[in-house]
Amino acid sequence: MKVVTGVVGNDIHVVANRLIELSLNARGFEVFNLGVNTYLEEFFDAVVETGAEVLLISSLNGEAEGWSREIKLLKSSYKGLDNLVMMIGGNLVVGSADAEEIVPKYKNYGFDLVFHQVDLNTGLDTLEEYLKQRGMR
Amino acid sequence: MNRLLIDVGSTYFKVSTPECIEQHFRDFNKDILDDLKYKCQKTIECYKKNDVYICSSANGGLSTLIIGLTNSFSLKYAKNIAFNSGINIIESVMYQNLLDYSIPSDLIDVVIIVGGINSNRDIFKDDLYEYLEKLNYSNIVFVGCENEAQKLEKNIQNLVILPNIIDEKLHIIEENLKVYLTNLYQQDIEGKEDIKNLYEITANQIYSTPYIVNKTLPFIHTKFGVVDPFILIDIGGATTDIHYSKDLVDDNIVTENEYDRLVFKKLGVYKSKESLIFAAQSNEFVYELLAHLKVTENIFSDESQKGTKVLMQLAIFLVLTKMSYYKQSYINLKLLSINSIVFTGGITKVLSANEIEDIISFFYKKILNSQHNPMTVLDGNYDIWTIGAGGEENVN
């Protein structure tokens, strides 16, 4: 299964980005890592070019929020992305806030799976479980 | 090195020996070779065919339409390769929005279809074939997903299939398409009966002038006081070519070439004068520029030297605008970062350094809202192409 991943916006947490790639590889995913400083359009374009089933965006210190507000609008401008599994993880807020508050907000932005300050393996276990439930894995 | 270098332009030809460069206005009632022999017979006779090197921009480049899957990868990569091959891109079309684009009425020299990494599949559907049927094109090439190639080949006549320009890491592979386009450009030049005849006096391949100028750029400092980074603008009779260092482009495409080029096929001051005027009339700043130059729109029908001067000035403004963030249709250069603009071609015979600097300053103020003032360097003697023209030894 193909996954496009990368770090959105001007965020530069390159180490975490690399760890995500290694973990996804270890779990048998084919990974297309766009690296840091990635624009939303590039994420969706990479999904279209690769035929990926999963888009996993990572972010630190709330950088994603400004970008995520545009996700639904941008995604709707693409044809054929209705079944794309959208996942985001990292530290998704500026300052501090509870996951109970953040997760619904990001789901409302258009993500299927949202992980705020959750360790990587837990997030990826949940992704695999989610894919199984949808009959994708 | 005792070599004879000849550049055949749409308006002038230039003949360079180690001693001097001759320039002659072309006699359009004569075949190029006959004209050349008539004007430079004695010079040509002094050289063996092996020592004569010819380049030409007389045919003005190829027009291209690119159909790609996404902006960030397939279209961006194909555009970059096409620009680098001296191609004039008339339209780039996102495949998924195919029906939203109007059909170009011009004959397109080459259509490029691109999209998808090799392991992707089921990308292109019938809407592609329906769109292509409405186009008027001479060549068509597919450089996308391998899984799509057979299907496309069945449905598109005379489709040339080349290896994908997008690798499995979503990086660009430019060589195959670049060679194909460069060869097409080459065939286009040589397809002119006039150009073919020139093989009577040379045993070397005749190249396109933009290709030769691009070869020159890394060595430009040997003859000119150019401060990096720089761009080179060649405004000729039929085309305007821009050569630029890749440092001036934000697009994160890693290729082996240090310099790229763009050819604006319909932006010259003699052969493509009408389309230059049309482009000028479509630009909302041009009337301010005309007022700045203290002329009116009547200048477009003025055949005098004054009219030619203004057209040249408009060409500088339009081409800089096309490369700026103000216009998104072409590659955007970091024009505020450049330190020199080198001018070559017919423009250096018509405009003074002051007249050129005046337009550049107008452009920076009006379009980029800046007082930036890059140095202007004029290649008044058509020296630039001679550095790259004499084959590998000349530039090594």
Side-chain angles (χ1 to χ4, degrees), chain B residues 63-80 82-83 88-98 100-102 104 108 110-114 131 135 328-331:
Chain B
S63 59
T64 305
L65 181 142
I66 304 173
I67 301 168
L69 206 52
T70 67
N71 274 322
S72 314
F73 300 96
S74 41
L75 276 178
K76 184 164 100 176
Y77 292 175
K79 271 198 258 182
N80 190 273
F83 285 148
N88 180 54
I89 296 173
I90 62 160
E91 184 96 73
S92 56
V93 174
M94 274 260 277
Y95 170 62
Q96 71 155 3
N97 302 329
L98 210 54
D100 301 339
Y101 294 90
S102 56
I108 297 157
V110 57
V111 175
I112 301 169
I113 306 168
V114 57
Y131 180 81
L135 292 180
Q328 291 294 329
S329 56
Y330 283 91
I331 275 182

Side-chain angles (χ1 to χ4, degrees), chain B residues 280-342:
Chain B
Q281 286 170 327
S282 313
N283 185 298
E284 63 264 46
F285 287 100
V286 159
Y287 292 94
E288 269 187 76
L289 177 54
L290 293 178
H292 174 79
L293 296 171
K294 297 184 176 57
V295 294
T296 67
E297 204 182 347
N298 294 335
I299 200 76
F300 292 143
S301 47
D302 187 338
E303 301 286 336
S304 69
Q305 175 81 349
K306 169 90 177 168
T308 306
K309 270 191 177 198
V310 172
L311 277 185
M312 290 277 190
Q313 287 171 307
L314 284 175
I316 296 173
F317 178 78
L318 290 173
V319 84
L320 287 173
T321 305
K322 278 176 184 287
M323 309 296 282
S324 72
Y325 282 94
Y326 177 70
K327 288 273 176 198
Q328 291 294 329
S329 56
Y330 283 91
I331 275 182
N332 300 131
L333 296 185
K334 292 183 223 166
L335 293 172
L336 291 171
S337 304
I338 58 176
N339 285 318
S340 310
I341 304 181
V342 185

